[in-house]
Amino acid sequence: MSARILVVDDIEANVRLLEAKLSAEYYQVSYAYDGPTALAKAAEELPDIILLDVMMPGMDGFTVCRKLKEDAATRHIPVVLVTALDGRGDRIQGLEAGAADFLTKPIDDVMLFARVRSLTRLKMVIDELRQREASGRRIGVIAGAAARLDGIGGRVLIVDDNERQAQRVAAELAVEHRPVIETDLAKAEISASGPVDLVIVNAAARGFDGLRFSATLRSSERTRHLPILAVVDPDDRPRMVKALDIGVNDVLPRPIDPQELAARVRTQVRRKRYTDYLRNNLDHSLELAVTDPLTGLHNRRYMTGQLSALVNRATMGGDPVSALLIDIDYFKKINDGFGHDVGDEVLREFALRLASNVRAIDLPCRYGGEEFTVIMPDTQLADAVRIAERIRMHVAGSPFRVAGGQEMLTVTISVGVSATTGAGDTPEALLKRADSGVYEAKAAGRNAVVCKAA
């Protein structure tokens, strides 16, 4: 998995060394020798990862990292701070500035590539979600901007068989979050499927395999995107590398530093909320793409796809499919006499009555204007006619209360009914027969159901 990496260091030899290592693994590398140039290149090139030296003259790495995270165009780029410093204060300062992790000079190649692979996977997921959200905004199905997505108040699941360590972690996190401790893996897996923002797992637990548990979470559809923070021994390099390779989002070295714990947890919770926001926007945009905004029913686009699959199955010997095509009688007179606002009220009320008189497996849709369809899987023509009559009677049987209850309108419908005939039938032919039934119902005086067999 390749990626575009921006290397930032004021010492050319360091830049060339990292460039050689990364290029040998087929990464695309660009570089900058100072903070201002790094900021400009990051905004212009939008790399996948930034490897950023801390000790630079003028503008140090901490300042550059903060500025990157303050810019909407670059805040989503993972930053790894590269430093000769290994002090607690420096790590915490870097994490609070928004860095994803630290690499200590001289750089361990195995840890470098493990971290780069891990962050590349994460960046690809976020990029795809952001691109889809941007597409939704361009076509107008997503509006507004994200609310403030902070990193506090998260629900954190702590999976650890070391009760003292788990209690200590929970006590530290309780200041800003809602921690829950679980020592049983089966129960922990169930809990992780719920409303959890982060899982902290002891990768060196004696009573269970923490990495196998992490891999299980990554392989499950319900927990695949859940952030995992693994607690590891800093001297156990193979375990740290394996953790990153199986999809753990971050590692926390033992002994656990409270401030470092707090900083890493805030970062993961914030990222989880942001990706959730993007996914929810995507789900919402997909729903809008197949839903009629006025009535809340599915639209013609969705109906066409579903009907095609059902008719194809029916023509190959599967269950029959029936279709109702419904037209509201004299709807133009309602619009002309009472206004389009009242017309919209009639459409919404009709949609409610329609949806309440069909089965759960049926598909009521707004076909266009005052026309509606109901696609009815596993339904014979005679049964479809009975349901159509029930809908007609429910619509005509009681007036529609509109204009804030000031007007009572009598509304009727004309319904055409058709069903699949076997091999050679098509969705277009099925709907055309139903449409023919609507015309006959209108010609006969409206407020009627007409069945059209092939």
Side-chain angles (χ1 to χ4, degrees):
M1 183 186 299
S2 186
R4 295 167 296 117
I5 301 177
L6 174 60
V7 176
V8 185
D9 197 312
D10 62 313
I11 300 175
E12 183 176 0
N14 293 340
V15 171
R16 296 306 178 193
L17 178 61
L18 272 175
E19 182 184 19
K21 290 180 178 181
L22 294 166
S23 297
E25 296 296 324
Y26 302 102
Y27 291 103
Q28 299 178 36
V29 183
S30 60
Y31 50 86
Y33 295 112
D34 57 66
T37 304
L39 293 173
K41 279 206 166 188
E44 178 186 355
E45 299 176 0
L46 297 178
D48 296 307
I49 299 171
I50 299 175
L51 299 181
L52 177 60
D53 185 38
V54 171
M55 302 299 291
M56 294 188 298
M59 185 185 294
D60 65 17
F62 298 131
T63 304
V64 174
C65 187
R66 279 193 294 271
K67 289 183 177 295
L68 288 168
K69 297 305 173 181
E70 289 168 0
D71 187 339
T74 58
R75 69 173 52 141
H76 310 294
I77 302 172
V79 177
V80 178
L81 293 176
V82 181
T83 178
L85 307 173
D86 195 23
R88 167 183 177 272
D90 298 308
R91 289 202 312 276
I92 293 169
Q93 184 179 354
L95 291 168
E96 290 179 344
D101 204 358
F102 275 82
L103 290 174
T104 305
K105 296 178 181 179
I107 295 176
D108 183 323
D109 291 357
V110 175
M111 286 302 300
L112 167 66
F113 292 122
R115 177 48 85 180
V116 166
R117 286 193 298 269
S118 174
L119 291 175
T120 299
R121 287 194 299 267
L122 174 65
K123 179 68 162 41
M124 288 178 65
V125 170
I126 293 179
D127 280 353
E128 182 176 356
L129 292 172
R130 292 182 67 214
Q131 288 169 7
R132 293 184 180 183
E133 187 206 28
S135 297
R137 290 187 187 281
R138 282 195 297 271
I139 64 175
V141 297
I142 296 177
R148 179 176 173 82
L149 302 172
D150 57 29
I152 62 174
R155 183 174 173 84
V156 182
L157 174 64
I158 302 167
V159 184
D160 198 341
D161 63 348
N162 184 333
E163 185 175 348
R164 179 177 297 179
Q165 177 174 271
Q167 292 290 350
R168 188 165 60 249
V169 169
E172 295 290 348
L173 293 180
V175 177
E176 294 184 339
H177 304 278
R178 294 170 293 153
V180 175
I181 298 173
E182 187 55 75
T183 58
D184 183 273
L185 285 193
K187 293 180 180 178
E189 191 171 343
I190 294 173
S191 298
S193 301
V196 173
D197 295 304
L198 174 66
V199 174
I200 299 177
V201 58
N202 183 2
R206 296 183 178 180
F208 58 83
D209 188 336
L211 294 187
R212 187 170 298 280
F213 174 71
S214 300
T216 299
L217 294 183
R218 277 291 166 267
S219 63
S220 171
E221 184 69 29
R222 299 190 65 180
T223 56
R224 182 164 296 160
H225 303 294
L226 182 61
I228 304 172
L229 175 61
V231 179
V232 298
D233 187 329
D235 296 327
D236 191 351
R237 193 182 69 167
R239 192 180 296 269
M240 292 178 69
V241 172
K242 179 61 71 175
L244 293 170
D245 281 346
I246 65 174
V248 165
N249 298 74
D250 200 3
V251 291
L252 179 67
R254 300 170 59 188
I256 297 173
D257 180 274
Q259 283 187 271
E260 183 173 352
L261 168 68
R264 291 187 185 273
V265 168
R266 278 195 297 269
T267 296
Q268 294 302 323
V269 170
R270 186 185 304 113
R271 188 175 291 155
K272 167 69 159 48
R273 288 174 176 170
Y274 179 66
T275 54
D276 282 351
Y277 163 78
L278 292 176
R279 287 193 179 93
N280 290 338
N281 258 350
L282 175 60
D283 290 343
H284 182 57
S285 67
L286 291 174
E287 181 180 349
L288 289 177
V290 297
T291 303
D292 174 57
L294 178 63
T295 64
L297 300 178
H298 285 299
N299 60 19
R300 184 170 179 169
R301 174 189 299 172
Y302 183 80
M303 181 275 296
T304 300
Q306 297 298 308
L307 179 61
S308 179
L310 290 169
V311 170
N312 286 342
R313 189 175 66 184
T315 59
M316 296 174 64
D319 296 325
V321 180
S322 292
L324 312 183
L325 192 59
I326 305 168
D327 189 272
I328 299 177
D329 297 329
Y330 301 112
F331 186 73
K332 187 176 184 302
K333 289 185 177 180
I334 296 174
N335 274 338
D336 293 344
F338 297 93
H340 289 278
D341 289 347
V342 169
D344 288 349
E345 288 186 61
V346 170
L347 292 173
R348 284 192 290 266
E349 174 62 22
F350 173 74
L352 288 173
R353 297 192 187 193
L354 176 64
S356 65
N357 278 278
V358 297
R359 304 166 302 176
I361 64 170
D362 296 333
L363 182 63
C365 305
R366 186 180 180 190
Y367 196 66
E370 67 271 24
E371 286 189 308
F372 294 78
T373 59
V374 182
I375 306 304
M376 312 177 74
D378 191 17
T379 306
Q380 301 286 348
L381 188 61
D383 296 324
V385 170
R386 283 195 292 272
I387 295 173
E389 279 290 350
R390 184 172 69 204
I391 296 169
R392 185 194 63 79
M393 292 175 63
H394 190 201
V395 172
S398 58
F400 285 39
R401 187 182 296 273
V402 297
Q406 297 179 9
E407 297 284 351
M408 303 287 284
L409 297 181
T410 297
V411 178
T412 63
I413 57 175
S414 298
V415 188
V417 186
S418 62
T420 51
T421 59
D425 207 357
T426 66
E428 294 77 16
L430 179 69
L431 291 175
K432 188 171 183 178
R433 293 196 297 273
D435 189 48
S436 177
V438 172
Y439 276 102
E440 287 192 21
K442 287 185 176 295
R446 294 178 169 80
N447 190 23
V449 174
V450 173
C451 169
K452 293 297 289 186

